[in-house]
Amino acid sequence: MDNILISSAQLIVPGHPQNGNIVDILIEAGNISRIAPRIKPTNKQIHVIDGKGRIVSAGFFDLHANFGEPGLETKEDIITGTAAAAAGGYTGVAVYPNTNPPIHSRSEVALVVNSAKGNIVDVYPVGTISKRREGKELAELYDMRLAGAIAFSDGDHAVQQAGLMGRALLYAKGFEGLVISFPEDESVAGGHQMNEGQMSTYLGMKGKPNLAESLMVSRDLFLAEYNDARIHFTSISTAESVDLIKKAKAKGLNVTCDVAAHNLVYTDEEVVGFDSNFKVNPPLRTKKDIKALLKGLKEGTIDAVVSQHTPHEVEYKNVEFQIAKEGILGLQTTLPFLIEAGFTADDIVRYLAVQPRQVVGKDIPTVEVGSEANLVLFDMNERWMLDTNTNKSKSENSPVFGQELRGKVKVVINHGQLVEIK
């Protein structure tokens, strides 16, 4: 990588002495060598990047993304997944075990870790809680941790057995591992197509009630408290879940949670057109739920925003809504969704760069002289279109495909590598 000068960008790094200031950042041999209000290039070997009107911060970190590797590479592999991540401003992603085979032993963990070596985006596998994600027998959590697993979850298969979940929490506690709960009571949610409410009644489709999520949140909070263990809830979507977690935090429980970006901007009213790209799990909820989720973020109840990036081949989405697979692309659209939801640059850095790393115990990249450059440069106002030219994923299952979006990542720098997004 050539020496790089980012000029006239607003630095947003909480706690930094120059937080909020317009600065130039000089990067030499992959490390930050100087930060000043004005740096004049000393030779022609410096690649100058115009940061005027743009934000520079530590690279984003996604707590919940799905790649297809191993076994489902036709959906997404590590190369295309990390390309989409970089285009979305991410320098780190946690990938879930919704693969075939699942990431349920040290072999699969090692495969993902080794396949991602040398990439501009750091890839952290999330190992399963149970073998084969069947919810019957505890997987080899500690072995996976030693091989590089950052946390443990059964992905979109919620653990239905309370005893198994309790044992996972207790066992992971012994080596400071993190158990992630995808809260869904299948006996209540079974066979759902969308959110249960007026719209599902109007459309005549089986709905998933808020109760299916809040029941499981309540159960797992009880289990975490009983075992004095930490727990993280991913992709919460209801007002009831926010309230339960808020009370648990006030009580002193070691609990964190995240929300998917699309659940902050879309409601179940979008489903009226039967566009399968609005079919997600948890489903799109109501305006009341979105209001509670936004409030939960601002109050600190919700710790992070995730992409819940879930690519699918066209044959799984370009079908009737009832039989379509759940999930949408998210890595490249999380920033625009947060801008649409009304968040400031400071909010975005907090929910995408700082607090996600705190959840999994990863160091927040420092923007200091002498530190390795791990940066994102993004524009809050630039408009662009997600289409076949800009999409980096193998798949195209996004509700905003072909639409103009506001908020664009311009540059990602990490491990001495530079990606400029055109």
Side-chain angles (χ1 to χ4, degrees):
M1 182 176 75
D2 294 334
N3 295 335
I4 295 168
L5 177 64
I6 299 175
S7 67
S8 305
Q10 184 181 21
L11 180 67
I12 302 292
V13 177
H16 195 283
Q18 298 203 61
N19 183 42
N21 293 346
I22 306 299
V23 299
D24 288 3
I25 301 176
L26 180 62
I27 301 162
E28 297 180 295
N31 294 326
I32 297 172
S33 61
R34 193 178 172 198
I35 302 173
R38 176 69 177 156
I39 300 173
K40 189 174 181 180
T42 55
N43 59 66
K44 295 181 180 179
Q45 300 301 314
I46 295 178
H47 177 51
V48 179
I49 297 172
D50 184 11
K52 188 175 182 180
R54 294 165 177 166
I55 309 297
V56 63
S57 78
F60 300 155
F61 189 100
D62 191 19
L63 284 173
H64 186 156
N66 292 289
F67 296 170
E69 198 167 343
L72 300 174
E73 289 85 357
T74 53
K75 297 179 185 292
E76 196 86 281
D77 57 37
I78 288 173
I79 292 174
T80 58
T82 51
Y90 295 96
T91 56
V93 292
V95 292
Y96 270 54
N98 300 318
T99 53
N100 184 26
I103 305 172
H104 67 161
S105 76
R106 64 184 305 142
S107 298
E108 291 82 25
V109 172
L111 184 149
V112 173
V113 169
N114 291 329
S115 297
K117 278 183 178 176
N119 204 291
I120 190 171
V121 178
D122 296 311
V123 179
Y124 300 97
V126 174
T128 63
I129 293 172
S130 68
K131 291 184 178 180
R132 296 175 293 278
R133 294 199 302 148
E134 292 176 348
K136 297 177 181 178
E137 185 180 356
L138 201 63
E140 298 169 346
L141 307 189
Y142 188 60
D143 275 359
M144 288 191 285
R145 169 66 172 265
L146 293 177
I150 196 172
F152 307 98
S153 168
D154 270 359
D156 57 8
H157 289 182
V159 177
Q160 300 301 301
Q161 290 187 15
L164 179 66
M165 190 63 165
R167 289 191 295 276
L169 287 164
L170 186 61
Y171 184 50
K173 174 186 171 183
F175 57 88
E176 297 183 344
L178 177 63
V179 171
I180 299 176
S181 169
F182 177 73
E184 179 182 273
D185 187 313
E186 292 176 359
S187 66
V188 178
H192 75 274
Q193 300 294 327
M194 61 178 296
N195 177 60
E196 181 183 273
Q198 291 182 349
M199 190 54 62
S200 65
T201 303
Y202 171 70
L203 296 175
M205 289 201 287
K206 173 77 166 64
K208 175 181 176 180
N210 286 19
L211 180 66
E213 179 174 301
S214 56
L215 269 177
M216 196 61 83
V217 169
S218 180
R219 185 203 76 174
D220 287 350
L221 285 172
F222 274 119
L223 290 171
E225 182 177 20
Y226 180 79
N227 291 289
D228 191 25
R230 62 187 294 234
I231 190 168
H232 179 80
F233 292 95
T234 189
S235 310
I236 67 166
S237 65
T238 70
E240 292 86 347
S241 295
V242 175
D243 186 56
L244 285 165
I245 294 169
K246 180 179 180 179
K247 289 176 180 175
K249 284 190 171 187
K251 195 176 178 181
L253 270 66
N254 194 350
V255 54
T256 51
C257 64
D258 64 56
V259 59
H262 51 262
N263 281 106
L264 297 173
V265 293
Y266 293 121
T267 70
D268 58 358
E269 294 178 9
E270 303 290 346
V271 181
V272 72
F274 295 104
D275 182 351
S276 63
N277 286 320
F278 285 109
K279 187 175 183 180
V280 290
N281 191 29
L284 302 176
R285 301 291 190 179
T286 65
K287 291 178 181 177
K288 176 185 174 183
D289 293 305
I290 289 180
K291 184 178 179 181
L293 292 167
L294 293 173
K295 185 179 179 183
L297 278 163
K298 290 172 182 176
E299 289 182 343
T301 300
I302 302 175
D303 301 272
V305 177
V306 297
S307 73
Q308 207 190 35
H309 181 80
T310 308
H312 287 300
E313 304 93 332
V314 64
E315 58 266 29
Y316 290 106
K317 277 294 189 177
N318 192 20
V319 292
E320 294 86 348
F321 191 92
Q322 286 83 351
I323 62 173
K325 291 284 188 181
E326 296 164 328
I328 62 174
L329 303 183
L331 285 166
Q332 290 181 248
T333 55
T334 298
L335 174 64
F337 284 168
L338 288 189
I339 292 171
E340 184 179 346
F343 289 103
T344 66
D346 292 84
D347 294 329
I348 288 166
V349 171
R350 185 181 312 118
Y351 302 135
L352 296 187
V354 177
Q355 292 178 183
R357 287 184 170 93
Q358 291 174 338
V359 168
V360 290
K362 288 294 175 183
D363 291 335
I364 300 161
T366 56
V367 186
E368 307 284 353
V369 172
S371 63
E372 183 181 23
N374 183 332
L375 301 169
V376 59
L377 179 73
F378 61 96
D379 192 312
M380 296 282 288
N381 296 303
E382 183 172 337
R383 297 186 180 270
W384 63 288
M385 185 176 290
L386 180 67
D387 55 22
T388 53
N389 294 318
T390 58
N391 179 40
K392 304 300 181 183
S393 172
K394 280 188 177 182
S395 302
E396 297 183 354
N397 54 305
S398 170
V400 294
F401 206 85
Q403 296 181 24
E404 187 179 74
L405 303 169
R406 183 166 73 94
K408 191 174 194 307
V409 171
K410 301 298 294 180
V411 170
V412 166
I413 299 171
N414 192 28
H415 298 318
Q417 300 177 58
L418 165 71
V419 170
E420 293 186 81
I421 295 92
K422 304 299 182 183

